[in-house]
Amino acid sequence: INQNEPPPKKEKPLTEDAPPSKVRGKELLAAVTHFDLLFPSFIMFTLICNFTLYQVALPPVAADLFGWSPLEISYLMSIQAIVIFLGMCVSMYASIRGISDFTMIASGNCAFVFGGIATVTWWNRESATILQFIVSIIVVSFAYPLMGPANRSKFTRAINSRPELEDSIGLLQSLFNQALSIGGFISPNFVTAYVLRDTAGISSSDGDELTPWAWYVSVSALVVIGGLLYEEFILGKNELGLMKSELAEESQEGETVAKETTRLLEGKRTRGRRRSTIVQINRTFNRKYEVDRRHSLEAAGIPNPVDTAYERGLQNQLMQDKQEWEMLLQLDKEIDDTEMRK
């Protein structure tokens, strides 16, 4: 071990009085309500609520505007599925290119802002055209796969930056999924009861298919964008690298001048990186955790299999640490066997 290297800098725990791997009750509640963990859950809740509007409203509105039969509506829903697939491909390519989670989530919400405004203004019995109707649906459908993987990556990054939560990774992932489930449970009833108009309501509103409650799509997306900006610039997350990074300054200050005693090779392990604990590895390489993780990106029965670059890197890191732990445990066992034979 190089004695000249400073110890890795640990992030301040969310609950200072809670020991690592023992976060329970009040401490866990304090952790969950922290902005880093709560905000991704809110994003997921708004995502499923916004996406559900177009799943629920599409058939009755298309039938009323253009007199489409179920067969013609199914054609449009097939186009929607193709757009979602293309969005997944774009999301995968963006992840490979290293596009930040901030950019992906912000882009998706900008699409929701535009799609929500277009929906409220274009879905009118008197003036709507087929092109306007299809464009508003395609824009929103393309936004979903852009946001889902990036938001899950954001949540995973927040958990793994908090060592005191390593024993609750699976529980926190389940709570994250609850945002998706609650949104999927509430939004269809909300859209049916408060957003869609009946025939009499459409006639009395100059042909508008939706009530003013439909503005919730654009408003919630703007709230998410505001939260991203708050986290980026007020809390100083600096994911875009637009602000001067204190970490970069520390890294530059910590650089040493080469001497005769300077090691030529630093070794395979990244300088300053903390090896993942056995608890974290066991919690992550767990079937239930993986099922919950995959389920967290399912919307209206459509799964999103994309993993971001951070998630793939984390999996590789954990696998590397798992192999190192296994090697150390095996070495320890061999030493014990040797001592016993003596």
Side-chain angles (χ1 to χ4, degrees):
I1 301 175
N2 187 359
Q3 300 297 331
N4 295 324
E5 291 184 6
K9 184 179 179 180
K10 292 186 178 180
E11 192 167 337
K12 183 179 178 181
L14 299 179
T15 52
E16 297 181 359
D17 57 339
S21 304
K22 297 294 183 183
V23 180
R24 292 293 184 273
K26 181 176 67 175
E27 292 81 7
L28 182 60
L29 179 62
V32 171
T33 53
H34 193 272
F35 188 84
D36 282 354
L37 298 175
L38 183 62
F39 187 46
S41 299
F42 174 74
I43 294 175
M44 184 57 65
F45 176 79
T46 59
L47 170 61
I48 189 63
C49 288
N50 293 345
F51 189 71
T52 300
L53 169 63
Y54 299 87
Q55 295 292 309
V56 174
L58 190 155
V61 172
D64 184 72
L65 288 178
F66 312 114
W68 285 0
S69 66
L71 179 61
E72 292 167 319
I73 294 173
S74 68
Y75 291 155
L76 179 57
M77 298 187 76
S78 298
I79 295 174
Q80 184 183 34
I82 294 173
V83 171
I84 292 175
F85 172 75
L86 293 176
M88 290 180 183
C89 294
V90 172
S91 177
M92 186 179 302
Y93 177 77
S95 176
I96 294 173
R97 300 293 297 177
I99 304 300
S100 67
D101 295 339
F102 178 98
T103 302
M104 299 291 288
I105 298 173
S107 299
N109 277 282
C110 286
F112 270 124
V113 171
F114 173 80
I117 294 174
T119 299
V120 174
T121 57
W122 287 350
W123 289 19
N124 183 281
R125 182 186 287 177
E126 306 298 329
S127 59
T129 65
I130 294 178
L131 179 61
Q132 290 175 336
F133 185 67
I134 293 177
V135 167
S136 61
I137 293 174
I138 286 179
V139 169
V140 171
S141 300
F142 193 78
Y144 157 66
L146 291 181
M147 295 174 55
N151 187 52
R152 185 183 63 189
S153 175
K154 181 182 182 67
F155 183 76
T156 304
R157 194 189 301 266
I159 293 177
N160 283 279
S161 68
R162 309 289 179 178
E164 73 275 16
L165 298 177
E166 63 184 11
D167 196 35
S168 303
I169 291 176
L171 176 60
L172 291 171
Q173 182 65 53
S174 298
L175 292 176
F176 178 70
N177 286 7
Q178 291 304 311
L180 179 72
S181 301
I182 293 173
F185 177 77
I186 293 176
S187 53
N189 298 309
F190 175 78
V191 171
T192 303
Y194 296 103
V195 179
L196 282 173
R197 295 184 190 270
D198 55 20
T199 304
I202 295 172
S203 301
S204 61
S205 63
D206 297 327
D208 290 333
E209 295 284 341
L210 307 178
T211 69
W213 281 106
W215 284 105
Y216 84 85
V217 174
S218 298
V219 171
S220 62
L222 288 173
V223 170
V224 171
I225 293 174
L228 290 172
L229 295 174
Y230 168 78
E231 185 179 46
E232 179 72 8
F233 299 106
I234 305 301
L235 298 184
K237 187 174 182 180
N238 198 26
E239 187 175 345
L240 298 177
L242 299 178
M243 299 185 297
K244 193 172 183 179
S245 174
E246 294 181 2
L247 185 61
E249 290 179 359
E250 293 177 1
S251 176
Q252 292 175 1
E253 293 175 0
E255 291 179 356
T256 58
V257 179
K259 303 176 183 179
E260 292 180 358
T261 56
T262 304
R263 293 186 302 170
L264 296 178
L265 297 176
E266 289 290 341
K268 294 182 178 179
R269 175 164 295 279
T270 303
R271 182 177 179 179
R273 185 175 74 78
R274 179 179 65 94
R275 178 184 287 117
S276 305
T277 65
I278 296 177
V279 173
Q280 182 183 7
I281 293 171
N282 289 338
R283 292 291 186 272
T284 303
F285 291 109
N286 179 278
R287 182 179 181 278
K288 185 179 185 304
Y289 171 79
E290 184 64 19
V291 170
D292 288 340
R293 197 175 74 88
R294 295 295 176 183
H295 179 68
S296 66
L297 295 189
E298 183 176 312
I302 303 174
N304 193 331
V306 176
D307 284 334
T308 64
Y310 171 78
E311 290 174 315
R312 293 193 301 271
L314 178 62
Q315 292 289 327
N316 294 334
Q317 171 191 317
L318 291 173
M319 181 58 68
Q320 176 186 340
D321 291 345
K322 179 176 181 293
Q323 293 170 350
E324 291 182 5
W325 275 116
E326 291 173 347
M327 181 182 65
L328 292 173
L329 293 173
Q330 180 63 29
L331 181 61
D332 186 62
K333 181 177 181 300
E334 292 175 357
I335 292 175
D336 289 342
D337 293 341
T338 303
E339 293 178 350
M340 290 181 62
R341 284 195 294 270
K342 291 180 179 179

